[in-house]
Amino acid sequence: MTEKELRKLKKTELLELMIALRNELDRLQAENEMLRQKLQTAENNALQQVETEAVLAVRKLLQAVETETDAYRKRIQKEQDVVVSKPAAEETKEQ
């Protein structure tokens, strides 16, 4: 609507136009707030999913470290058993 057309409107028409504009503004503000809340929820969900994936990755890594540590301990134990059993076998040969 042009300025010239606005000037030709009666006061009641201007008031009706203002009320309609205010209603539209209120509707848009409510929609904006709803969209902000949806965005916040989506951001929170995404962050929670990333955190969950990170926790799972760390757990998997820790499990792999634990498995490797157990294998290393078993190898060390076997080596110690071999070292301990050698002198005993050598002592029986000497006698």
Side-chain angles (χ1 to χ4, degrees):
M1 188 172 276
T2 66
E3 189 175 329
K4 188 175 181 181
E5 291 171 327
L6 279 173
R7 291 187 185 275
K8 289 183 180 180
L9 294 177
K10 298 178 186 174
K11 287 182 183 180
T12 56
E13 293 172 325
L14 287 171
L15 286 173
E16 288 174 0
L17 182 59
M18 287 175 61
I19 290 170
L21 289 173
R22 182 60 201 196
N23 289 339
E24 179 68 7
L25 176 64
D26 291 343
R27 186 190 68 75
L28 290 173
Q29 285 175 336
E31 182 180 353
N32 187 5
E33 181 59 30
M34 180 193 65
L35 290 172
R36 284 180 196 266
Q37 289 175 357
K38 278 186 171 182
L39 177 61
Q40 184 65 43
T41 301
E43 286 174 347
N44 289 343
N45 290 343
L47 181 60
Q48 186 176 12
Q49 184 175 357
V50 167
E51 288 173 349
T52 300
E53 289 172 1
V55 166
L56 292 175
V58 168
R59 282 185 183 167
K60 187 176 180 179
L61 179 63
L62 289 175
Q63 196 172 30
V65 167
E66 187 176 333
T67 302
E68 288 299 316
T69 302
D70 289 343
Y72 177 74
R73 285 183 181 148
K74 287 178 183 177
R75 273 197 320 269
I76 295 297
Q77 185 63 44
K78 284 181 183 179
E79 289 174 8
Q80 286 177 350
D81 290 346
V82 169
V83 169
V84 169
S85 65
K86 269 189 180 180
E90 289 174 7
E91 285 179 17
T92 41
K93 285 182 184 179
E94 289 176 2
Q95 292 175 0

